[in-house]
Each structure stands twice: as C-alpha cells, then as structure tokens.
Amino acid sequence: MSVYLKNRWYVAAWNHEITDQPLARTIMDEPVVLFRDRNGIPAALEDSCAHRYMALSEGRVINNHIQCPYHGLEFDRNGYCVLVPGQKNIPPGASVRCYPVVEKWRYIWIWPGDPKLADEDLIPDFHWNKDPNWVAVGDYFYVKGNYRLLIANLLDLSHVAYVHASTLGTDGVANFPVKVTRDDNQIHVERWIFDEPAPAMFRMVGDFKEDDKVDRWQLINYLEPTHFMIDVGCALAGTGAQEGERSQGVTMFSNHTLTPETENTTHYFWHHARNFRLEDDTLTEKLANATSTAFAEDVIIIETQQDRIKRLGSHKVTVDINADAGVLQARRLLDNLIESE
Ligand code: FES
Ligand SMILES: [Fe+2]
C-alpha cells in the first residue's frame, strides 16, 4: 500500500513564502519548485530540468519564466520549455511536470495526484486564516516524523495535560471522555471538561481569575487526509457553553494541516484564530508566542517517537487506550482511501 493519498489538495506553502525567488520543497518524495510569475500567479513544477536533471529551484525567474541555472533553458508556469539558448526549435517533449496550484486562505495549495481530478471546490475551508471577523497567527514547522504521528497527536488532545502543562493543559483533561462520530470523510472527536481551572493560555486571553472554574471544550473536526479544524475555548462554569451560550467565555480555532514531505518527514502548517480583541496587537503577539511554544512541544514528541520507531521497528508491540478512539477511526479511514486509490 502506498504511504500517501495523492488525489487531494495539500498545503505546499504559506502564500508569503512564494515569490519570484524559486522555492524548493519536496512533497511526497517528489522535488517541486514553487514560484510566482510576473503577474503574481503561483506555479509548481517538477524541480528537475528536462535537459539534464538540474534543479530549477537553483535558477531564477526571468522574462516570466523559470530559467535553469545549468544551460539556460526556460520553462513557463505550465512546465513547457519556451526557450533553448542558441537554437530556434524547442525539442519535442521538452517540458517538466506541472502541478495544479491554487492560492486560497493565505496558503498555496498543491494537488500531487492526477491533475484531471483537481477540483478547486475540494479545497478545505480554512477561512479563519483570512476572515475580517478573525485574527489568525500561524507558522510552519518542518517535522522529522511521519505525518500519521501528527494526525494521532491532533486527534487525541488528552496529551495537553502532559505535553502542554504550561500553556494548554490542566491536570483534569484526560479524566473527561471523548465522543467520536464520523460522517463521510470527517471524524469528530469532542471532549467537554467541566468545572476545572482555566489553562494558562485561556487565562491570558479571557478575563478568568486564577480560582475561576470553567467549562472547556475541545471539538476536533478532522477532514481526511490531513486537515484539522479544532474549536477550542472555555467559559465560566455552569453558564451554558455546551448548550451554545458562549458569551461568558472565549472561542478560538486551532487549525492544522499536514503535508508529507517523505515517509518520515512532514511539512506542518498551522494557524490559530480568535474572534475577540481583534485590534489588540499585543495579544496577537502573545498568542503567536504561546501557540508556537505549544506546537513546538508536539514536534519534540513526534520526532522522538519517529526516532524510536526507526530504532525499534516493527518488533515492538504497542497497545491502544480508550483515548485512541478517534485515532483508530482515522487510521482505518485513511488506509481504506489509500488502498482504493
Ligand atoms: S540541465 Fe537544465 S539547461 Fe541543461
Ligand atoms: Fe499538542
């Protein structure tokens, strides 16, 4: 079975990463070069010249084309060779593979599979990242770990009590069970935590006092293959948050999307959005730091797991626990999709 589900949209880059300076990025083992032409339109091509393999990403964008740094062949954003120095005719078949790309929600999306199936309407909804009613902070992490380790991390947030004790966690989280539901290509993992202290990050953004008790929610929406929209927040205990009355609390969306680089490495993009105190730049900066600190804690876990997997391999027997319910469903869903692809 393949490691990847290819006929899907994945985030290749933040939109600000793509300029007229070519960017090299490996996606599902394939070398890709990303750049913008002079109209600002993003392009993604196979990062290997049609002449003698040289990496186009080492070249430059010139005359609206990307120029190979070795013998100067130029390619347009559809991958067709448009110029061969010193000759008039272009050799037949002088082209490199072109990937469908779309700029949306401040991301550059790429379709690694069959281009004929690339439908823009299938791009996941990450509007929080570009919405006047929300302010989002976000970043990119390069992770030395398989993307499925990150899927498991994001589908089981009982780990916040241990991994993120100083930011997102409080002791009691793991004591509250999750409810897992599935519809089509989505899995929802919901946890409500009642009458507990507010974690540090929520005390920072909300008006909670040290000894206030809150009702807290972690509502994970996993959209296969690798996208997460997580509704998180808390409100003063007993004020009806679970019934939809959130005015006594704060809501944030913690959104994540994973793009496999190789079997053992992942491009991890995330943004964290809030819909209150939109003009408060100091808060924005504090949240950027706190979320970045928290997600970097996950990266350490993932990379350590990957190291142990590499060293111990399949000899080691591992167990599942109740909190894995969503993780196991996601694994089955992805396995089935990859198998049928
Ligand atoms: S290898 Fe690219 S022009 Fe020769
Ligand atoms: Fe985490």
PDB file of all heavy atoms in Angstrom, residues 288-313:
ATOM      1  N   ALA A 288       0.720  34.401  19.467  1.00  0.00           N
ATOM      2  CA  ALA A 288       1.641  33.803  18.494  1.00  0.00           C
ATOM      3  C   ALA A 288       2.752  33.062  19.233  1.00  0.00           C
ATOM      4  O   ALA A 288       3.102  31.926  18.891  1.00  0.00           O
ATOM      5  CB  ALA A 288       2.219  34.876  17.578  1.00  0.00           C
ATOM      6  N   ASN A 289       3.278  33.691  20.276  1.00  0.00           N
ATOM      7  CA  ASN A 289       4.360  33.055  21.036  1.00  0.00           C
ATOM      8  C   ASN A 289       3.870  31.819  21.774  1.00  0.00           C
ATOM      9  O   ASN A 289       4.521  30.772  21.764  1.00  0.00           O
ATOM     10  CB  ASN A 289       4.958  34.045  22.043  1.00  0.00           C
ATOM     11  CG  ASN A 289       5.758  35.122  21.335  1.00  0.00           C
ATOM     12  OD1 ASN A 289       6.244  34.902  20.227  1.00  0.00           O
ATOM     13  ND2 ASN A 289       5.871  36.285  21.947  1.00  0.00           N
ATOM     14  N   ALA A 290       2.700  31.949  22.414  1.00  0.00           N
ATOM     15  CA  ALA A 290       2.200  30.832  23.223  1.00  0.00           C
ATOM     16  C   ALA A 290       1.865  29.621  22.352  1.00  0.00           C
ATOM     17  O   ALA A 290       2.207  28.482  22.688  1.00  0.00           O
ATOM     18  CB  ALA A 290       0.969  31.273  24.014  1.00  0.00           C
ATOM     19  N   THR A 291       1.205  29.866  21.214  1.00  0.00           N
ATOM     20  CA  THR A 291       0.823  28.735  20.362  1.00  0.00           C
ATOM     21  C   THR A 291       2.065  28.114  19.729  1.00  0.00           C
ATOM     22  O   THR A 291       2.186  26.896  19.642  1.00  0.00           O
ATOM     23  CB  THR A 291      -0.170  29.171  19.264  1.00  0.00           C
ATOM     24  OG1 THR A 291       0.290  30.384  18.675  1.00  0.00           O
ATOM     25  CG2 THR A 291      -1.545  29.398  19.829  1.00  0.00           C
ATOM     26  N   SER A 292       2.975  28.965  19.317  1.00  0.00           N
ATOM     27  CA  SER A 292       4.199  28.455  18.707  1.00  0.00           C
ATOM     28  C   SER A 292       4.974  27.594  19.715  1.00  0.00           C
ATOM     29  O   SER A 292       5.476  26.515  19.379  1.00  0.00           O
ATOM     30  CB  SER A 292       5.038  29.639  18.238  1.00  0.00           C
ATOM     31  OG  SER A 292       6.123  29.193  17.515  1.00  0.00           O
ATOM     32  N   THR A 293       5.034  28.069  20.950  1.00  0.00           N
ATOM     33  CA  THR A 293       5.703  27.294  22.006  1.00  0.00           C
ATOM     34  C   THR A 293       5.009  25.950  22.189  1.00  0.00           C
ATOM     35  O   THR A 293       5.654  24.895  22.255  1.00  0.00           O
ATOM     36  CB  THR A 293       5.649  28.072  23.347  1.00  0.00           C
ATOM     37  OG1 THR A 293       6.281  29.334  23.146  1.00  0.00           O
ATOM     38  CG2 THR A 293       6.346  27.311  24.460  1.00  0.00           C
ATOM     39  N   ALA A 294       3.669  25.993  22.234  1.00  0.00           N
ATOM     40  CA  ALA A 294       2.917  24.760  22.484  1.00  0.00           C
ATOM     41  C   ALA A 294       3.120  23.753  21.351  1.00  0.00           C
ATOM     42  O   ALA A 294       3.409  22.579  21.595  1.00  0.00           O
ATOM     43  CB  ALA A 294       1.433  25.084  22.650  1.00  0.00           C
ATOM     44  N   PHE A 295       2.986  24.211  20.096  1.00  0.00           N
ATOM     45  CA  PHE A 295       3.072  23.248  18.992  1.00  0.00           C
ATOM     46  C   PHE A 295       4.505  22.746  18.810  1.00  0.00           C
ATOM     47  O   PHE A 295       4.724  21.624  18.347  1.00  0.00           O
ATOM     48  CB  PHE A 295       2.500  23.843  17.701  1.00  0.00           C
ATOM     49  CG  PHE A 295       1.061  24.274  17.851  1.00  0.00           C
ATOM     50  CD1 PHE A 295       0.564  25.389  17.198  1.00  0.00           C
ATOM     51  CD2 PHE A 295       0.194  23.560  18.681  1.00  0.00           C
ATOM     52  CE1 PHE A 295      -0.761  25.793  17.355  1.00  0.00           C
ATOM     53  CE2 PHE A 295      -1.130  23.953  18.848  1.00  0.00           C
ATOM     54  CZ  PHE A 295      -1.604  25.076  18.185  1.00  0.00           C
ATOM     55  N   ALA A 296       5.471  23.560  19.199  1.00  0.00           N
ATOM     56  CA  ALA A 296       6.858  23.081  19.158  1.00  0.00           C
ATOM     57  C   ALA A 296       7.057  21.948  20.167  1.00  0.00           C
ATOM     58  O   ALA A 296       7.888  21.057  19.964  1.00  0.00           O
ATOM     59  CB  ALA A 296       7.814  24.234  19.436  1.00  0.00           C
ATOM     60  N   GLU A 297       6.271  21.969  21.245  1.00  0.00           N
ATOM     61  CA  GLU A 297       6.340  20.861  22.214  1.00  0.00           C
ATOM     62  C   GLU A 297       5.868  19.560  21.569  1.00  0.00           C
ATOM     63  O   GLU A 297       6.404  18.482  21.838  1.00  0.00           O
ATOM     64  CB  GLU A 297       5.484  21.194  23.449  1.00  0.00           C
ATOM     65  CG  GLU A 297       6.064  22.315  24.292  1.00  0.00           C
ATOM     66  CD  GLU A 297       5.100  22.887  25.347  1.00  0.00           C
ATOM     67  OE1 GLU A 297       3.862  22.754  25.206  1.00  0.00           O
ATOM     68  OE2 GLU A 297       5.599  23.495  26.302  1.00  0.00           O
ATOM     69  N   ASP A 298       4.856  19.663  20.709  1.00  0.00           N
ATOM     70  CA  ASP A 298       4.391  18.467  19.998  1.00  0.00           C
ATOM     71  C   ASP A 298       5.469  17.932  19.062  1.00  0.00           C
ATOM     72  O   ASP A 298       5.642  16.725  18.919  1.00  0.00           O
ATOM     73  CB  ASP A 298       3.138  18.793  19.166  1.00  0.00           C
ATOM     74  CG  ASP A 298       1.944  19.090  20.045  1.00  0.00           C
ATOM     75  OD1 ASP A 298       1.609  18.243  20.881  1.00  0.00           O
ATOM     76  OD2 ASP A 298       1.356  20.177  19.895  1.00  0.00           O
ATOM     77  N   VAL A 299       6.175  18.858  18.409  1.00  0.00           N
ATOM     78  CA  VAL A 299       7.192  18.440  17.441  1.00  0.00           C
ATOM     79  C   VAL A 299       8.264  17.587  18.127  1.00  0.00           C
ATOM     80  O   VAL A 299       8.711  16.574  17.583  1.00  0.00           O
ATOM     81  CB  VAL A 299       7.809  19.676  16.741  1.00  0.00           C
ATOM     82  CG1 VAL A 299       8.999  19.269  15.883  1.00  0.00           C
ATOM     83  CG2 VAL A 299       6.754  20.379  15.882  1.00  0.00           C
ATOM     84  N   ILE A 300       8.624  17.971  19.351  1.00  0.00           N
ATOM     85  CA  ILE A 300       9.632  17.195  20.087  1.00  0.00           C
ATOM     86  C   ILE A 300       9.125  15.765  20.319  1.00  0.00           C
ATOM     87  O   ILE A 300       9.853  14.788  20.133  1.00  0.00           O
ATOM     88  CB  ILE A 300       9.966  17.886  21.430  1.00  0.00           C
ATOM     89  CG1 ILE A 300      10.684  19.206  21.142  1.00  0.00           C
ATOM     90  CG2 ILE A 300      10.819  16.982  22.313  1.00  0.00           C
ATOM     91  CD1 ILE A 300      10.859  20.094  22.357  1.00  0.00           C
ATOM     92  N   ILE A 301       7.847  15.665  20.690  1.00  0.00           N
ATOM     93  CA  ILE A 301       7.257  14.334  20.905  1.00  0.00           C
ATOM     94  C   ILE A 301       7.304  13.508  19.616  1.00  0.00           C
ATOM     95  O   ILE A 301       7.750  12.355  19.602  1.00  0.00           O
ATOM     96  CB  ILE A 301       5.783  14.475  21.365  1.00  0.00           C
ATOM     97  CG1 ILE A 301       5.688  15.259  22.672  1.00  0.00           C
ATOM     98  CG2 ILE A 301       5.108  13.105  21.437  1.00  0.00           C
ATOM     99  CD1 ILE A 301       5.893  14.479  23.924  1.00  0.00           C
ATOM    100  N   ILE A 302       6.837  14.119  18.529  1.00  0.00           N
ATOM    101  CA  ILE A 302       6.755  13.400  17.248  1.00  0.00           C
ATOM    102  C   ILE A 302       8.144  12.915  16.812  1.00  0.00           C
ATOM    103  O   ILE A 302       8.319  11.772  16.383  1.00  0.00           O
ATOM    104  CB  ILE A 302       6.176  14.325  16.139  1.00  0.00           C
ATOM    105  CG1 ILE A 302       4.807  14.880  16.528  1.00  0.00           C
ATOM    106  CG2 ILE A 302       6.140  13.607  14.794  1.00  0.00           C
ATOM    107  CD1 ILE A 302       3.735  13.884  16.778  1.00  0.00           C
ATOM    108  N   GLU A 303       9.122  13.799  16.933  1.00  0.00           N
ATOM    109  CA  GLU A 303      10.461  13.434  16.449  1.00  0.00           C
ATOM    110  C   GLU A 303      11.086  12.352  17.335  1.00  0.00           C
ATOM    111  O   GLU A 303      11.827  11.494  16.847  1.00  0.00           O
ATOM    112  CB  GLU A 303      11.339  14.690  16.358  1.00  0.00           C
ATOM    113  CG  GLU A 303      10.795  15.649  15.284  1.00  0.00           C
ATOM    114  CD  GLU A 303      11.701  16.830  14.957  1.00  0.00           C
ATOM    115  OE1 GLU A 303      12.615  17.134  15.756  1.00  0.00           O
ATOM    116  OE2 GLU A 303      11.484  17.452  13.891  1.00  0.00           O
ATOM    117  N   THR A 304      10.740  12.383  18.613  1.00  0.00           N
ATOM    118  CA  THR A 304      11.247  11.330  19.498  1.00  0.00           C
ATOM    119  C   THR A 304      10.582   9.995  19.163  1.00  0.00           C
ATOM    120  O   THR A 304      11.239   8.946  19.109  1.00  0.00           O
ATOM    121  CB  THR A 304      10.988  11.708  20.972  1.00  0.00           C
ATOM    122  OG1 THR A 304      11.495  13.017  21.200  1.00  0.00           O
ATOM    123  CG2 THR A 304      11.675  10.737  21.912  1.00  0.00           C
ATOM    124  N   GLN A 305       9.262  10.036  18.919  1.00  0.00           N
ATOM    125  CA  GLN A 305       8.567   8.801  18.510  1.00  0.00           C
ATOM    126  C   GLN A 305       9.201   8.236  17.234  1.00  0.00           C
ATOM    127  O   GLN A 305       9.456   7.037  17.132  1.00  0.00           O
ATOM    128  CB  GLN A 305       7.096   9.101  18.203  1.00  0.00           C
ATOM    129  CG  GLN A 305       6.217   9.380  19.395  1.00  0.00           C
ATOM    130  CD  GLN A 305       4.807   9.702  18.915  1.00  0.00           C
ATOM    131  OE1 GLN A 305       4.571  10.756  18.328  1.00  0.00           O
ATOM    132  NE2 GLN A 305       3.877   8.793  19.146  1.00  0.00           N
ATOM    133  N   GLN A 306       9.433   9.127  16.259  1.00  0.00           N
ATOM    134  CA  GLN A 306       9.969   8.665  14.975  1.00  0.00           C
ATOM    135  C   GLN A 306      11.337   8.017  15.166  1.00  0.00           C
ATOM    136  O   GLN A 306      11.649   6.997  14.553  1.00  0.00           O
ATOM    137  CB  GLN A 306      10.073   9.850  14.003  1.00  0.00           C
ATOM    138  CG  GLN A 306      10.469   9.449  12.591  1.00  0.00           C
ATOM    139  CD  GLN A 306       9.376   8.656  11.892  1.00  0.00           C
ATOM    140  OE1 GLN A 306       8.237   9.091  11.809  1.00  0.00           O
ATOM    141  NE2 GLN A 306       9.724   7.469  11.405  1.00  0.00           N
ATOM    142  N   ASP A 307      12.121   8.608  16.045  1.00  0.00           N
ATOM    143  CA  ASP A 307      13.440   8.036  16.335  1.00  0.00           C
ATOM    144  C   ASP A 307      13.305   6.625  16.908  1.00  0.00           C
ATOM    145  O   ASP A 307      14.015   5.703  16.511  1.00  0.00           O
ATOM    146  CB  ASP A 307      14.177   8.945  17.333  1.00  0.00           C
ATOM    147  CG  ASP A 307      15.439   8.288  17.853  1.00  0.00           C
ATOM    148  OD1 ASP A 307      16.431   8.273  17.099  1.00  0.00           O
ATOM    149  OD2 ASP A 307      15.420   7.752  18.992  1.00  0.00           O
ATOM    150  N   ARG A 308      12.350   6.453  17.833  1.00  0.00           N
ATOM    151  CA  ARG A 308      12.191   5.127  18.442  1.00  0.00           C
ATOM    152  C   ARG A 308      11.633   4.125  17.429  1.00  0.00           C
ATOM    153  O   ARG A 308      12.001   2.957  17.434  1.00  0.00           O
ATOM    154  CB  ARG A 308      11.274   5.207  19.673  1.00  0.00           C
ATOM    155  CG  ARG A 308      11.879   5.986  20.823  1.00  0.00           C
ATOM    156  CD  ARG A 308      13.220   5.390  21.263  1.00  0.00           C
ATOM    157  NE  ARG A 308      13.729   6.065  22.446  1.00  0.00           N
ATOM    158  CZ  ARG A 308      14.511   7.144  22.428  1.00  0.00           C
ATOM    159  NH1 ARG A 308      14.895   7.665  21.281  1.00  0.00           N
ATOM    160  NH2 ARG A 308      14.915   7.700  23.557  1.00  0.00           N
ATOM    161  N   ILE A 309      10.746   4.597  16.571  1.00  0.00           N
ATOM    162  CA  ILE A 309      10.204   3.700  15.537  1.00  0.00           C
ATOM    163  C   ILE A 309      11.338   3.214  14.641  1.00  0.00           C
ATOM    164  O   ILE A 309      11.434   2.039  14.296  1.00  0.00           O
ATOM    165  CB  ILE A 309       9.118   4.428  14.709  1.00  0.00           C
ATOM    166  CG1 ILE A 309       7.881   4.657  15.571  1.00  0.00           C
ATOM    167  CG2 ILE A 309       8.766   3.638  13.454  1.00  0.00           C
ATOM    168  CD1 ILE A 309       6.857   5.609  14.967  1.00  0.00           C
ATOM    169  N   LYS A 310      12.213   4.135  14.314  1.00  0.00           N
ATOM    170  CA  LYS A 310      13.336   3.781  13.444  1.00  0.00           C
ATOM    171  C   LYS A 310      14.251   2.763  14.128  1.00  0.00           C
ATOM    172  O   LYS A 310      14.700   1.794  13.517  1.00  0.00           O
ATOM    173  CB  LYS A 310      14.116   5.053  13.111  1.00  0.00           C
ATOM    174  CG  LYS A 310      15.266   4.835  12.158  1.00  0.00           C
ATOM    175  CD  LYS A 310      15.863   6.170  11.734  1.00  0.00           C
ATOM    176  CE  LYS A 310      17.227   5.953  11.101  1.00  0.00           C
ATOM    177  NZ  LYS A 310      18.145   7.038  11.396  1.00  0.00           N
ATOM    178  N   ARG A 311      14.490   2.986  15.422  1.00  0.00           N
ATOM    179  CA  ARG A 311      15.461   2.124  16.100  1.00  0.00           C
ATOM    180  C   ARG A 311      14.862   0.789  16.515  1.00  0.00           C
ATOM    181  O   ARG A 311      15.567  -0.213  16.579  1.00  0.00           O
ATOM    182  CB  ARG A 311      16.029   2.859  17.317  1.00  0.00           C
ATOM    183  CG  ARG A 311      16.949   3.995  16.870  1.00  0.00           C
ATOM    184  CD  ARG A 311      17.149   5.041  17.932  1.00  0.00           C
ATOM    185  NE  ARG A 311      17.811   4.533  19.110  1.00  0.00           N
ATOM    186  CZ  ARG A 311      18.037   5.255  20.204  1.00  0.00           C
ATOM    187  NH1 ARG A 311      17.657   6.509  20.247  1.00  0.00           N
ATOM    188  NH2 ARG A 311      18.640   4.731  21.237  1.00  0.00           N
ATOM    189  N   LEU A 312      13.567   0.779  16.827  1.00  0.00           N
ATOM    190  CA  LEU A 312      12.967  -0.461  17.331  1.00  0.00           C
ATOM    191  C   LEU A 312      12.135  -1.181  16.279  1.00  0.00           C
ATOM    192  O   LEU A 312      11.855  -2.367  16.403  1.00  0.00           O
ATOM    193  CB  LEU A 312      12.106  -0.165  18.560  1.00  0.00           C
ATOM    194  CG  LEU A 312      12.883   0.456  19.715  1.00  0.00           C
ATOM    195  CD1 LEU A 312      11.948   0.869  20.832  1.00  0.00           C
ATOM    196  CD2 LEU A 312      13.942  -0.496  20.236  1.00  0.00           C
ATOM    197  N   GLY A 313      11.701  -0.442  15.257  1.00  0.00           N
ATOM    198  CA  GLY A 313      10.990  -1.046  14.138  1.00  0.00           C
ATOM    199  C   GLY A 313       9.736  -1.778  14.557  1.00  0.00           C
ATOM    200  O   GLY A 313       9.130  -1.501  15.591  1.00  0.00           O
TER     201      GLY A 313
END
